[in-house]
Amino acid sequence: MQGWRRQVRRIWRKPLLVVGILIVLGVLVMAVFPGQLAPYDPFKSNLAHRLEPPSKGHWFGTDPLGRDLLSRVIYGSRVSVITGFVVVFLAAAIGSFAGALAGFYGGALDQIVMRIVDVLIAFPYMILAMALAAALGPSLINTMIALSIVWVPRYARMMRGQVLQAMGSEYIESAKALGVGRLRILVRHLLPNCFEPVLIKGTLDVGTTIMYAAALGFIGLGAQPPSPEWGAMISQSRSYILYSWWYTTFPGFAILVACLGFNLIGDGIRDLVDPRTAKT
Amino acid sequence: MIAYIVRRLLFLIPTLFAGVLLVFGIMHLAPGDPVLLLAGPEADPRIYDELRQQWGLDKPVYIQCLMYLGNLVRGDLGTSLVTGRPVIADIGAYLPATVELTIFALFLSVVVGVLLGVVSAVRPNTLLDHATRTVSLLGVATPVFWLGLLLIILFHLRLSWLPGGGRIGVNISPPRSITGSYLIDSLVTGNWAALGSSALHILMPGFVLAFAQIARVARITRASMLGIVGLDYVKAAKAKGLKESKVVSRYILRNAWIPILTMVGEVAGTLLGGAVVTEVVFSWPGMGRYAVDSIMALDYKAIVAFAIISTALYAFINLIVDVMYVWVDPRISYS
């Protein structure tokens, strides 16, 4: 209990981390309870009120179908948050698993896994994600799959390095000496001790993934209309930028804030764990 | 050194081959049918079959893939399903615009990023330092396409200061092509009208693409320099009474270059990806826009070609970065 309280106090002393936590909490609440928070139905068009500027009735204005933009931005958080978490979870799980096995067993398995990783990392990631999402066909699920494939090799490489480093440590030596089975060493001793960097990278990657998913949505891959996805909303707003700045501005601002929140948390956790990076 | 460069270039070949296999494999597992898309759902089945045969889509996937790789070795990237021209000709026409935009943004990221980083490292905790750090936090979280549209609204639609898209004014003919870069070609041929117009046109897309990367470079420069500022040899240089500018440029920055260069390699990859959305936003006639148009038509040959060319460019820039390590730090050698 004492240790837990000390952790909270340490977090409290990092204002940017606190800001990040508050932002992410806000985004999560929006994603979980959009129905309670959104003032209007995000899909209901009202042509009498098309492309209205922000007002008391519609804080973020309305879109060309008269739909309330604030409501659509709130519902859009659900799409982005789900994409961010699913992609990072899939990539971290598959990547860590492959990387851990490669590092632990070595030999041919290691060679095969790491050569695949080399090939995937040789592509600039937005371009690989684009090519894969295009290959799979435009849809939200396919975008998630494409982005996961892009992130997997980065986790695999990192986990492999961690496992190789930990294998030389004394507690593994002693476990081996005690006759603990190989699989048990991997699952019970190595993995828990190698997980911390994966967690930090994961938090930072949620923000980046939200950004990339929005970029894919913007070029027409990803969530399809009428689904309220932030990137797709900005893409649709392009035809109206001449007379409705709000249509472009607010969905993009949502991406910025959500992304910033996750980045602040990722940076903050990294500083807590490794105070040497704090001054950067 | 030359042996090292050759080895790196040779390693690129299997990597690109494997990349082709990957994208090709996934594309053929996917449900989309480009023939159906082009011929339309009510097309005569005979025409449909003929088109499939014509494009070789009736053969098994592995045969298609082997044929593609065979042609690739001969420099043939296939025919675009949309334009009906060889993909290599299409890409050749669009590539210079992308390269110009990316290099311009890379140049901007490095020059402005390093400058900002140096200033905030030399004067830590001043207003400028805080401003740089705030901008770098925001920069990394700002979507490129959104920033582009906001700047178009402000500087093109409202203020009419800058053109909103394209590479050069509609009533100005492009310079005679030498390098493919409008900026360099018009400068070399002394075509001042074209130079002015293309400079105005590249300003906004170049800045938008570079914005987040300026932030990243500034951050790494600051961190890298702060790690060196306190070292004894720097104190000694200061104690000798050397001018601060000399200490910073000759003693600190020289040794801070390695992490910055590593970041530049990464930045190049991000820029190539970001160029796609930037080109779409600014109607920049580059490879990325061509790729996006190809995606909508399920034109897999164009997409695979685009991915390969981008990766080769990325690998090439990274090779230059690795070679520059030696130049920056004579202790590194690849022999």
Side-chain angles (χ1 to χ4, degrees):
Chain A
M1 199 61 196
Q2 209 61 35
W4 183 80
R5 253 191 218 152
R6 217 180 68 205
Q7 286 301 330
V8 171
R9 218 175 301 137
R10 281 180 70 197
I11 291 173
W12 195 243
R13 250 181 267 136
K14 297 209 168 291
L16 284 179
L17 178 57
V18 175
V19 172
I21 292 173
L22 289 178
I23 291 176
V24 168
L25 277 180
V27 173
L28 288 180
V29 169
M30 285 201 318
V32 177
F33 304 107
Q36 279 68 39
L37 291 168
Y40 297 87
D41 178 345
F43 300 103
K44 196 162 170 266
S45 54
N46 181 352
L47 294 176
H49 293 278
R50 53 196 305 268
L51 285 179
E52 276 181 6
S55 63
K56 261 191 190 150
H58 300 279
W59 290 3
F60 285 6
T62 61
D63 76 359
L65 293 175
R67 295 176 295 196
D68 179 53
L69 266 183
L70 175 62
S71 307
R72 287 184 68 75
V73 167
I74 291 176
Y75 271 87
S77 68
R78 176 171 273 188
V79 179
S80 291
V81 165
I82 291 177
T83 309
F85 279 107
V86 168
V87 166
V88 169
F89 179 78
L90 276 180
I94 300 172
S96 311
F97 183 70
L101 287 184
F104 189 67
Y105 288 105
L109 182 72
D110 188 26
Q111 282 295 323
I112 294 170
V113 171
M114 293 326 284
R115 287 302 80 76
I116 297 175
V117 165
D118 284 344
V119 169
L120 288 173
I121 284 186
F123 284 81
Y125 40 70
M126 177 67 189
I127 287 173
L128 183 60
M130 239 179 90
L132 293 176
L136 291 165
S139 84
L140 184 60
I141 300 281
N142 289 342
T143 298
M144 290 189 203
I145 297 174
L147 285 170
S148 308
I149 297 178
V150 173
W151 288 120
V152 160
R154 290 166 170 76
Y155 285 94
R157 187 174 268 187
M158 184 166 159
M159 195 60 171
R160 176 177 176 270
Q162 288 291 317
V163 166
L164 282 181
Q165 202 181 14
M167 291 239 290
S169 57
E170 283 170 359
Y171 70 91
I172 298 297
E173 289 296 322
S174 49
K176 274 187 197 158
L178 285 170
V180 180
R182 280 170 74 88
L183 195 66
R184 198 179 156 85
I185 290 185
L186 178 65
V187 176
R188 293 294 299 275
H189 297 275
L190 274 174
L191 288 187
N193 282 296
C194 296
F195 211 67
E196 195 180 271
V198 173
L199 191 73
I200 297 171
K201 185 170 167 46
T203 323
L204 275 168
D205 286 350
V206 173
T208 316
T209 303
I210 289 177
M211 178 100 87
Y212 280 110
L216 289 176
F218 177 75
I219 57 176
L221 298 161
Q224 299 297 308
S227 171
E229 197 270 329
W230 293 338
M233 286 163 78
I234 296 176
S235 173
Q236 289 148 22
S237 80
R238 284 184 67 200
S239 321
Y240 307 94
I241 53 171
L242 198 53
Y243 24 80
S244 56
W245 56 268
W246 57 92
Y247 190 13
T248 308
T249 307
F250 291 117
F253 196 66
I255 302 175
L256 192 154
V257 172
C259 213
L260 186 67
F262 282 103
N263 287 351
L264 288 175
I265 292 187
D267 282 352
I269 295 180
R270 194 181 51 198
D271 293 350
L272 280 183
V273 173
D274 181 4
R276 275 174 306 172
T277 62
K279 64 179 177 211
T280 62
Chain B
M1 191 67 188
I2 292 179
Y4 170 77
I5 295 175
V6 171
R7 207 165 59 233
R8 282 278 301 266
L9 288 175
L10 285 179
F11 180 72
L12 189 58
I13 297 169
T15 305
L16 291 180
F17 263 67
V20 171
L21 284 178
L22 178 81
V23 177
F24 220 91
I26 289 188
M27 204 157 278
H28 284 269
L29 292 174
D33 182 352
V35 181
L36 193 66
L37 201 69
L38 200 73
E42 278 131 44
D44 189 330
R46 268 177 310 178
I47 295 179
Y48 178 87
D49 286 342
E50 209 172 291
L51 278 172
R52 268 176 73 88
Q53 220 166 11
Q54 195 188 329
W55 292 334
L57 292 169
D58 53 335
K59 300 189 179 65
V61 176
Y62 67 93
I63 300 276
Q64 286 185 41
C65 196
L66 283 177
M67 278 169 58
Y68 186 88
L69 288 175
N71 289 333
L72 182 66
V73 175
R74 280 177 268 138
D76 177 6
L77 292 169
T79 307
S80 161
L81 302 183
V82 184
T83 61
R85 299 197 308 158
V87 170
I88 193 92
D90 279 347
I91 295 223
Y94 294 120
L95 182 66
T98 299
V99 171
E100 180 169 45
L101 179 63
T102 311
I103 302 269
F104 181 78
L106 189 62
F107 182 75
L108 210 61
S109 317
V110 175
V111 172
V112 181
V114 169
L115 266 177
L116 283 177
V118 167
V119 175
S120 42
V122 174
R123 301 263 182 279
N125 298 319
T126 55
L127 191 64
L128 190 93
D129 181 30
H130 290 306
T132 307
R133 296 177 74 182
T134 313
V135 169
S136 61
L137 270 175
L138 288 177
V140 181
T142 308
V144 170
F145 49 97
W146 179 65
L147 180 66
L149 289 172
L150 290 191
L151 293 189
I152 287 180
I153 292 178
L154 183 63
F155 290 110
H156 177 61
L157 297 175
R158 293 282 147 104
L159 299 171
S160 300
W161 288 356
L162 289 169
R167 266 182 104 182
I168 197 161
V170 273
N171 45 5
I172 295 174
S173 54
R176 193 158 52 84
S177 181
I178 301 168
T179 60
S181 153
Y182 280 10
L183 286 177
I184 296 174
D185 290 352
S186 52
L187 191 67
V188 171
T189 56
N191 188 344
W192 307 122
L195 179 66
S197 178
S198 49
L200 280 180
H201 277 80
I202 205 172
L203 214 56
M204 234 183 347
F207 172 76
V208 164
L209 182 55
F211 180 61
Q213 311 310 317
I214 292 175
R216 283 172 79 189
V217 174
R219 229 174 135 167
I220 195 87
T221 305
R222 179 179 185 274
S224 178
M225 288 198 47
L226 282 181
I228 294 171
V229 166
L231 293 184
D232 285 345
Y233 79 90
V234 176
K235 283 184 196 150
K238 279 185 189 155
K240 277 196 294 191
L242 287 181
K243 266 196 291 193
E244 192 185 2
S245 58
K246 193 165 187 183
V247 175
V248 169
S249 63
R250 298 286 294 277
Y251 287 74
I252 305 175
L253 190 57
R254 264 206 84 160
N255 280 297
W257 267 114
I258 294 291
I260 302 173
L261 270 182
T262 309
M263 179 58 89
V264 169
E266 261 180 63
V267 161
T270 317
L271 286 177
L272 280 167
V276 176
V277 283
T278 311
E279 286 174 11
V280 171
V281 170
F282 288 96
S283 312
W284 191 261
M287 209 167 57
R289 231 179 52 149
Y290 173 66
V292 172
D293 292 343
S294 310
I295 286 173
M296 297 309 146
L298 297 178
D299 188 349
Y300 65 95
K301 282 186 177 149
I303 301 167
V304 174
F306 163 71
I308 294 173
I309 304 270
S310 305
T311 308
L313 268 179
Y314 179 45
F316 187 66
I317 294 175
N318 270 295
L319 181 59
I320 296 178
V321 165
D322 285 354
V323 170
M324 279 178 74
Y325 282 147
V326 178
W327 179 60
V328 167
D329 187 345
R331 284 170 300 187
I332 297 175
S333 88
Y334 294 122
S335 50

